[in-house]
């Protein structure tokens, strides 16, 4: 795909509107009427007010509209990662042959990846725009489009998975109330979708507020879950056979997939912060939020897996809990799925603008919501393709680990200094490069993808180097390969 793009005769790239989008009018069907935040919750910025449709998209946020503090990122990343997915990931580490303490070590070390994800948010502070706009500097305006398209597919895929998990949890709650069958499942799906879409459609300020308040509830609930699961954990038994390279590498791939999935979006949530926001404060606040929630729930999954078979993770975990807490547990699964979906759905609307959808962010999100609804309907009512979808998404790390390596290497080379106007200038800007493509970026991306494909071990694809490596899955090292390749190729030409 890269070589085909490079050979084109320099067409004008599709771009979203570069200036701030017009304020929402009553004729805009995406705008809720009469919604307003209490005085204590207001941001003071008309274009990014709580419970009102955000008027900005990927256009740079003006300095006079910047607001917020670095510590707001703690609640954003803490709340969005209080999701049952990490319980499942922790359980998988045990399934790969690791003991309680070995799996716990993997959980804790993997959580440190949030420091890199959080630090990448500085690019949003410097430019006032979204991550997938900033990556034009590394790949070129046109070279950036293929990864942008794949990222949208991945974000919708994860949103579908979270929606299905939340729907099944809510359906079980309805069953306990005496409502069974297809109507109950349909209502559960509709409620899950509405909760996710409403918050993401309102935009940045409402997303941050929702993540903060949901974090309070989820932290309390999952704290109780941890207290109930840890005392019965088997912390002394050793696995019958040593996990070997395969077990260790697969455990790290599963646990690191969570942080890595956020690489294309940290600037989306820092672009409103004032330009003088401290890098240290920004990094620590966001990283601690993501680390604490992912580590706590990952350890809960490890503890549960030492006590029972976690093939059906939700049902198995529920069976370990006392009856009085089981309804609350199902509600936690539902709300945790919603908090994660809100983040991915919001970023997907910015993603569509990067791809050239000439709509406001609030209108573009309707596309993502509609596709999410169709995918969820298919998973719940037509065919059971959830496991296949997860396998497909696991393959996409072959693309996004190397993509993240190039993006982070480019950010370090430039010391996070970008020409913001040029990021939005298309052919007229410095990031057009050669026919819209930056050769070092795409070359490094391909090098990392080749390495990742050769060392990937998934249900849909096993690389030829996996067996000689003793079954080790080194997919994530594709990020290191691509980052080092990009540094070698671009360090002399990238303007610092």
């Amino acid at each position: 795909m890269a070589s085909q793009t490079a050979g084109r005769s320099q067409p004008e790239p599709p771009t979203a509107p570069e200036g701030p989008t017009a304020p929402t009018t009553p004729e805009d069907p995406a705008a809720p009427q009469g919604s307003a935040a209490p005085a204590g919750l207001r941001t003071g910025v008309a274009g990014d007010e709580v419970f009102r449709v955000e008027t900005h998209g990927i256009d740079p946020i003006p300095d006079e509209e910047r607001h917020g503090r670095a510590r707001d990122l703690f609640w954003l990343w803490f709340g969005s990662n209080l999701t049952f997915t990490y319980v499942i990931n922790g359980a998988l580490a045990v399934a790969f042959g690791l003991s309680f303490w070995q799996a716990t070590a993997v959980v804790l070390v993997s959580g440190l990846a949030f420091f890199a994800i959080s630090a990448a948010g500085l690019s949003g502070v410097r430019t006032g725009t979204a991550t997938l706009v900033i990556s034009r500097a590394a790949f070129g305006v046109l070279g950036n489009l293929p990864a942008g398209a794949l990222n949208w597919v991945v974000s919708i895929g994860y949103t579908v998975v979270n929606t299905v998990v939340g729907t099944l949890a809510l359906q079980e709650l309805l069953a306990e109330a005496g409502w069974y069958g297809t109507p109950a499942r349909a209502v559960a799906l509709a409620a899950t979708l509405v909760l996710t879409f409403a918050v993401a459609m309102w935009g940045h300020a409402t997303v941050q507020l929702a993540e903060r308040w949901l974090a309070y509830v989820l932290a309390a609930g999952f704290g109780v879950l941890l207290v109930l699961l840890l005392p019965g954990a088997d912390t002394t038994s050793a696995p019958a056979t040593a996990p070997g390279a395969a077990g260790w590498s697969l455990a790290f791939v599963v646990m690191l997939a969570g942080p890595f999935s956020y690489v294309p979006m940290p600037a989306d949530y820092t672009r409103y912060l004032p330009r003088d926001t401290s890098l240290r404060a920004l990094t620590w606040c966001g990283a601690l939020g993501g680390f604490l929630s992912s580590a706590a729930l990952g350890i809960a999954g490890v503890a549960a897996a030492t006590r029972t078979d976690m093939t059906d993770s939700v049902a198995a975990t529920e069976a370990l809990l006392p009856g009085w807490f089981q309804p609350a547990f199902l509600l936690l699964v539902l709300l945790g799925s919603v908090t994660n979906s809100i983040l991915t759905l919001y970023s997907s609307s910015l993603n569509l603008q990067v791809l050239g959808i000439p709509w406001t962010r609030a209108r573009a999100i309707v596309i993502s919501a509609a596709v999410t609804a169709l995918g969820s309907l298919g998973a719940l009512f037509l065919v059971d393709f959830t496991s296949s979808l997860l396998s497909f998404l696991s393959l996409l790390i072959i693309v996004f680990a190397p993509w993240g390596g190039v993006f982070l290497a480019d950010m370090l080379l430039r010391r996070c200094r970008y020409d913001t106007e040029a990021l939005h200038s298309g052919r007229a800007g410095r990031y057009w490069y050669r026919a819209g493509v930056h050769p070092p970026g795409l070359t490094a991306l391909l090098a990392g993808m080749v390495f990742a494909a050769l060392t990937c071990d998934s249900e849909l694809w096993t690389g030829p180097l996996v067996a000689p490596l003793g079954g080790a899955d080194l997919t994530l090292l594709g990020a290191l390969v691509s980052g080092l390749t990009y540094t070698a190729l671009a360090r002399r030409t990238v303007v610092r």
Side-chain angles (χ1 to χ4, degrees):
M1 182 176 292
S3 61
Q4 293 172 352
T5 304
R8 293 174 184 166
S9 58
Q10 301 190 4
E12 190 66 26
T15 57
E18 302 303 341
T21 56
T24 308
T25 64
E27 289 74 26
D28 190 340
Q33 300 306 311
S35 58
L41 300 178
R42 293 175 187 166
T43 65
V45 176
D48 185 39
E49 192 57 87
V50 176
F51 302 138
R52 290 182 182 173
V53 176
E54 177 191 2
T55 59
H56 285 292
I58 62 172
D59 51 294
I61 308 301
D63 286 347
E64 62 271 17
E65 296 189 35
R66 301 289 190 98
H67 64 90
R69 297 161 295 182
R71 65 186 183 187
D72 296 333
L73 296 175
F74 174 85
W75 296 108
L76 179 84
W77 293 111
F78 183 70
S80 62
N81 285 284
L82 284 170
T83 172
F84 192 73
T85 302
Y86 287 105
V87 177
I88 298 173
N89 292 346
L92 285 173
V94 175
F96 294 142
L98 274 64
S99 68
F100 175 88
W101 293 112
Q102 290 171 333
T104 297
V106 170
V107 169
L108 295 176
V109 172
S110 299
L112 296 176
F114 278 104
F115 279 89
I117 302 302
S118 188
L122 179 62
S123 60
V125 175
R126 291 279 176 82
T127 63
T129 191
T131 304
L132 282 168
V133 175
I134 300 166
S135 61
R136 289 170 176 170
F139 299 101
V141 176
L142 292 181
N144 191 53
L145 294 178
L150 279 173
N151 178 70
W152 184 79
V153 172
V154 173
S155 63
I156 294 301
Y158 278 120
T159 307
V160 168
V161 171
N162 279 322
T163 300
V164 170
V165 171
T167 297
L168 294 176
L170 182 54
Q171 182 186 3
E172 184 61 28
L173 275 173
L174 294 175
E176 292 184 4
W179 194 4
Y180 303 91
T182 300
R185 176 171 287 193
V187 169
L189 174 60
T192 305
L193 287 170
V194 168
L195 284 171
T196 304
F197 172 71
V199 175
M201 183 271 297
W202 268 320
H204 174 266
T206 311
V207 167
Q208 287 203 315
L209 181 70
E211 294 291 350
R212 175 190 289 266
W213 286 98
L214 285 172
Y216 296 155
V217 176
L218 290 169
F222 278 120
V224 174
L225 176 70
L226 200 60
V227 169
L228 294 173
L229 291 178
L230 276 179
D234 182 359
T235 61
T236 58
S237 297
T241 57
W248 282 101
S249 64
L250 288 172
F252 272 110
V253 166
V254 166
M255 288 307 305
L256 284 167
F260 262 85
S261 68
Y262 292 117
V263 171
M265 60 179 78
D268 302 1
Y269 304 100
T270 59
R271 70 194 203 282
Y272 278 95
L273 291 176
R275 289 184 187 273
D276 60 356
T277 301
S278 162
L279 172 60
R280 176 177 296 180
L282 179 148
T283 301
W284 275 94
C285 290
L288 283 177
F291 175 82
L292 290 175
S293 51
S294 64
L297 296 188
I299 292 171
V302 171
T306 64
R307 298 174 58 184
T308 188
D309 179 7
M310 290 285 284
T311 302
D312 184 345
S313 299
V314 174
T317 304
E318 184 182 12
L320 294 174
L321 302 172
W324 61 266
F325 189 70
Q326 289 179 358
F329 166 71
L330 293 173
L331 185 60
L332 290 174
V333 175
L334 167 64
L335 293 179
S337 299
V338 169
T339 61
N340 195 263
S341 293
I342 287 170
L343 225 62
T344 54
L345 192 60
Y346 174 80
S347 286
S348 75
S349 64
L350 298 175
N351 196 157
L352 287 174
Q353 286 193 312
V354 173
L355 293 176
I357 299 295
W359 291 358
T360 63
R361 183 207 58 79
R363 288 182 178 273
I365 205 171
V366 174
I367 298 176
S368 296
V371 176
T372 297
L374 290 174
S376 302
L377 282 169
L380 290 166
F381 294 101
L382 300 179
V383 294
D384 183 13
F385 69 86
T386 303
S387 60
S388 298
L389 179 61
L390 285 170
S391 298
F392 170 68
L393 292 174
S394 70
L395 270 184
L396 290 181
I397 200 169
I398 292 175
V399 176
F400 284 101
W403 186 92
V406 174
F407 176 76
L408 294 174
D410 181 74
M411 193 178 76
L412 290 173
L413 283 175
R414 298 177 193 276
R415 299 186 182 180
C416 213
R417 292 185 174 91
Y418 299 90
D419 183 338
T420 303
E421 183 179 351
L423 289 171
H424 297 268
S425 298
R427 186 191 299 271
R430 69 170 66 186
Y431 302 125
W432 182 254
Y433 300 115
R434 300 179 185 175
V437 173
H438 190 210
L442 289 186
T443 301
L445 177 63
L446 289 174
M449 288 174 59
V450 168
F451 177 87
L454 291 173
T455 59
C456 174
D457 184 14
S458 73
E459 291 185 12
L460 298 182
W461 167 258
T462 300
L465 295 183
V466 172
L469 290 170
D473 185 331
L474 304 182
T475 311
L476 291 173
L477 291 183
L480 182 61
V481 171
S482 64
L484 292 175
T485 303
Y486 183 78
T487 301
L489 295 176
R491 64 185 306 167
R492 294 185 178 179
T493 59
V494 168
V495 178
R496 296 189 178 185

